[in-house]
Amino acid sequence: ELRPVVVVTSSLPPDEPISPRVASSSFELRQVPLRFVPAAALGDPADAVGLVPVGPLPAGSYLTGPALRLPKPEKEEGP
């Protein structure tokens, strides 16, 4: 049985938000045998849009939920 999995095709640095453009140019959907799919692997590149890599994402790696986080809120400057 095959399952769609998002694979990183261009290395991405940490702490850079993933835009729709980055998702379309740096991710690829591949059909992978179920036994090789990591439990937290993403199955849709759109699921990563707006999130931030917690560390470098090397080309060729599976994109997983734990490798991403919400962006840190921008600090508001007080008076």
Side-chain angles (χ1 to χ4, degrees):
E1 180 180 353
L2 298 178
R3 178 174 168 201
V5 177
V6 178
V7 176
V8 180
T9 57
S10 298
S11 296
L12 297 176
D15 301 320
E16 293 287 327
I18 296 170
S19 67
R21 182 177 178 197
V22 168
S24 66
S25 65
S26 299
F27 301 147
E28 175 179 284
L29 202 55
R30 293 190 189 159
Q31 297 294 323
V32 176
L34 188 59
R35 67 177 183 241
F36 296 121
V37 176
L42 298 186
D44 184 350
D47 292 343
V49 173
L51 299 177
V52 177
V54 294
L57 295 177
S61 63
Y62 293 128
L63 187 60
T64 63
L68 304 170
R69 64 169 171 77
L70 292 172
K72 293 179 182 171
E74 302 218 2
K75 293 182 182 178
E76 293 183 22
E77 295 193 24

